[in-house]
Each structure stands twice: as structure tokens, then as C-alpha cells.
Amino acid sequence: MKQVFSRLMLSSAWALMFVVIFTKQATAQLNPYQYSIAKSAVGKKGAVASAHPLASEVGLQILKKGGNAFDAAVATQLALAVVYPGAGNIGGGGFLVAHTQTGKSIAIDYREKAPGAANRNMYLDKEGNPRLDLSQSGHLASGVPGTVAGLFTTHAYCKLPFAELIEPAIALAEKGFSITKGEASALNNHKNGFIKYNTRPTAFVKDQPWKEGDTLVQAELAATLKRIRDKGAAGFYEGETAQFIVQEMQRGGGIITLEDLKSYKAIERNPIVFNYKEHTIIGMPMPSSGGVLTQQMLKMIENRSIGTMGFHSKEAVQLMIEVERRAYADRAEFMGDQDFVKVPVKRLTSDSYLQERMKDFVAGQASPSTTIKAGAIQPESEETTHLSVADQWGNAVAVTTTLNGGYGSMTVVGGAGFLMNNEMDDFSVKPGVANMYGAVGKEANAIQPGKRMLSSMTPTLVLKNEKPYLVIGTPGGTTIPTSVFQTIVNMLEFGQSPLDAVNLPKFHHQWLPDQVMVEKDFPSTLKTDLEKMGYKVTPRGQIGRTEVIKISWKGKRIDTIEAVADKRGEDHASAY
Ligand code: GLY
């Protein structure tokens, strides 16, 4: 538990310790040893917003070379796997939601899956007590990684050769780059974990503490990336890299096999598509709860004139809290990997069901979670990362990827140089038993071999007149869908700029625990108003790190593309 708290504290520390250097536009040339951070950037031809300046700039360079938004999304993800090892990854998984210039909406699922030897009781001791230490850290915590398969599935929509997209990541890993203040602090905070959970020396541990500006070289990771460049997905899921993964698992008590790796497949799924007033929303389907929750929350407010209530009015905030509560109650009861369990998505998102759900809503009065019937909430870590990309042709791509906890399982694959995820903890390790964040999960998300663990990741697009208008997403575990929901409402209903919609204080209710979590700068009068209505309001650290791109059209042509990177981290916006 101590470790969990230190990881949570870390997210807040990043925001506190980090000194943002605001610049109007991103630097033209990529210099991995000297770079600054831009929180907003406006262009006409393309934009990228991600968790790290070097990754956003890699994406921008790919756009400038003639790549489309898919090319840039692939290159940015690969760069994040090098420069943002806490969440960027090739040892984890993710989701992509996109809209192409030809009008097609796409969802790619490259979520990790449980290894073939997994079973529902694998994190229980002989007495049936949960072993959260095993589901959260070290070799047994890892699901079979999906990211590399996802990148190659995405590549079908790209223009440039994969070798060109991976080259910047290889150079960053091989020659190194200067680390940020946040990264130095995070690496120092995890030093003991890296020592404890590794069987071989890693690039992340050195004798002296890391400091801002130090160079991080990852030679083994560079070699792995070269195998992927040369052999495609087989350069990861087969041959030398796969051997390294399995040998690492065997040294540390993990269960991923060569067969698990070889059989991993990313899946193109039908995205969640629905209308919110005059806009169309495109979201991620199961095994992410994100798209369904966004649909439920938006549909529950759609006919309630929230725009006229006003941003941060007590009426609007209370309404949003109550729809969040109801949607998350459903998440806990019904949601899981649809390939393994029946999730009643049609019913959960139907107008009649959602109207019924709001029948007991009373304006000005908290409805206690004891009276809102459903199962229990599945806990999730907050260390994930999101990138938004748009190009001059009208392609828009939203990608959220994760290792789960900060630096995932903290196990680096010996010889291969990348971190493995601890995504198995996103399953319900024992139905009804409190997990990592003091909450409980249920049957729909129980562990089964080959099953994907339920996620909250919510890469989302908003279309206007059938053209991409907003590209949105964020990390933040269970707070992800509420952050995306609030960002959409802030812009579509309260008329906010992307910068305000991203940066103004957020709040979160997830049914259980029955409390409203608010950021530290949430207005104190509003907090008092909510308490008078019967809410328990708990201030906490930052909620999410949202990246938004807004595309403005003049008829059939793009007028401007505006990228905004969240103030809460070292996130960076690039555009040209
Ligand atoms: N591990 C975070 C999520 O998938 O929601």
C-alpha cells in the first residue's frame, strides 16, 4: 500500500516540482539535449499533443515529412516508450480511436491480455486472502503486451514506412536524451522498486541520484527497437525479444510464455458512436469502459439545459456528479471484456434506460450510493498516457496507452531494456474484495486466460458536421472518463477554449467510495455548496493530464488546428 501511495504522490509531485517554460511555439529543430515546453500551439497543417516535448516534436517532424496523423501517432508512441518510460511503452497496451479523411471511424484494441496460465485465484493465498503485492509489482503482475501489435495494426492507415517512424525512437534510446525534472524525481523515487523487481541491471538505476538534464541512454531498448524495425511485430512477439521476455519471466516467477506472445493479436473493433446534440462522439468500446461511460454521462445530461446553468455553478456540478455516480455504478456491475462476458451495452446506453436511471435524481440533494443499486467499482492506477494528433487532410487520431502503475511492474526485461506492465491488477483479483485503491470489482472482470482486463481509457473524438472537431484524452485511471466528460461539456456547453477546458479544476465521483474528489484549486464556495447538499468533498492531487486538439474548418478546408497540453505535467503541444 505504501508503494501505491508513493506512486500517487509522485503524480502530484510532478505537477508541483515542475517548472513550466511557456513558449508560444515549439522549437523547429529536435534537440534531445535542449528543449522547452509549449502548452499551446496553433497551426494549419498538423498538431500533436503528448506527455513529453520530445515525443510531440517527433510526431510533428513526421507530419512535416508528409506523414499523416496515423504516422505521427505511431512515431509519437514509440518516442514516448523511450523518453517517458513511466507510462510510454512497448511492454504495455493501449487503445486508438480515429476518424479518417475518407470518413471512416476506427477503434483499435491493443489491450494486454491475461497469459494462458492465468487463473481467477492467482493472486489469492492459501487462505483466500488477496496478494496485491503480486498483482501490482514484479513479474507476475504483467499481462501479455499489446502495444507493438497495435502499432502495426495502425500502420495499415499510415503513409510512411514503419522504419521511418521508429527511427527517432531508436536514436533517442541509442544516443540518449536529457531527462526532465519530473523524470529525474520519478526515477529517484522508484530506485528501490527497480532494484527489488529486477533480475538484471537496468538503465534506470545509477549510484548518484538522477537530476534534471542528465542523459538517459537505453542501449538494450535501442536494440529491441531495431529488431522491431527489421522484423516487424515478429521482432517483438517472436525470436530474440520473445526469448528475453520469457527468460525474464522464468527468472522472476512470471507466467508469460512464447505461445502467449506469438498468439497476441490487436483487434479492430466497432467504435462507440452517438450523437450529443449537433455533435457526433466517437469513443472506445469494451474492453474499455471509457466509451460507454462517456455516452451514458453525456446522454444523462443532454436534455437538462446544463449550458444555461453555467460552468462551476452548483447546479451544473451537482448534476454532473450524479450522472458520474450512476454511470460508474453500472461500470462495476456490468463491464468487462465482451469477448468473454456479455456486456449489455445496447441497454446501458439506451435513452429509456438512462432516463429511468435519472428518475431518482433530486436537484440540490446528494443521492447516497447506498440507494443507487449496482456492483462495485474496479480500481485502477493513474499512470497512463494520452496523445492527440490531427493532420492537414482531416485525419484525427486519439491514442491512450498504459503500463498501469508508474513504470508498470517495475520489471525491465533483461537484455531487451523495456518495462513490463502491471496490468493484471486492472482485473478484479477477487470479486468483492478491496483492491489497490480501496475499492472492489466483480464477476464481469474476473481473471480468465486470454481475457483482456477492463480499462477506463477514453480516447475520444468529437465530430461537427461529420468532420473531426475535437481530439481528446487523458491518463488518470478511473478519473479518465469523468475528465473527458467534463472537458467535452466545458467546450460544447460552457463555450470554453480548449486551454480553459483542460486546465480549470476538475472533480470526480465514481460511485464508490461515495465522495466527490476535487482538485486543490476547486473553488471553496462551491465545495461548501456541495457539502450543504449532503456530499462528502475530498480535495486530492491533480486529476488527469488532458491533451486536446481543436480543428476549425472553413467549409471543406481546415482553417486552424489548435493543440493544448495540460498544465498539470510536462506535456507539450506542437503544431505547424
Ligand atoms: N490501467 C489504466 C486503464 O486501463 O484504465
Side-chain angles (χ1 to χ4, degrees), residues 301 304-306 308-322 361-365 494 507 526 529-530 533 535:
I301 65 162
R304 290 179 182 262
S305 308
I306 195 167
T308 58
M309 297 175 190
F311 173 69
H312 274 182
S313 66
K314 59 184 180 196
E315 293 81 10
V317 171
Q318 192 230 346
L319 174 60
M320 291 168 85
I321 288 168
E322 289 301 332
F361 168 77
V362 182
Q365 194 183 305
F494 302 131
F507 53 91
L526 189 49
D529 286 338
L530 292 173
M533 292 181 206
Y535 292 96

Side-chain angles (χ1 to χ4, degrees), residues 95 111-112 288 331 380-384 402-405 423 426 453-457 476-478 480:
F95 299 119
R111 182 69 162 166
E112 301 93 324
S288 182
R331 178 192 196 275
E380 287 181 52
S381 163
E382 310 224 341
E383 292 293 337
T384 293
T402 186
L403 284 170
N404 199 18
E423 218 71 58
D426 267 351
M453 53 295 282
L454 183 63
S455 172
S456 291
M457 292 189 284
T478 47
I480 294 174

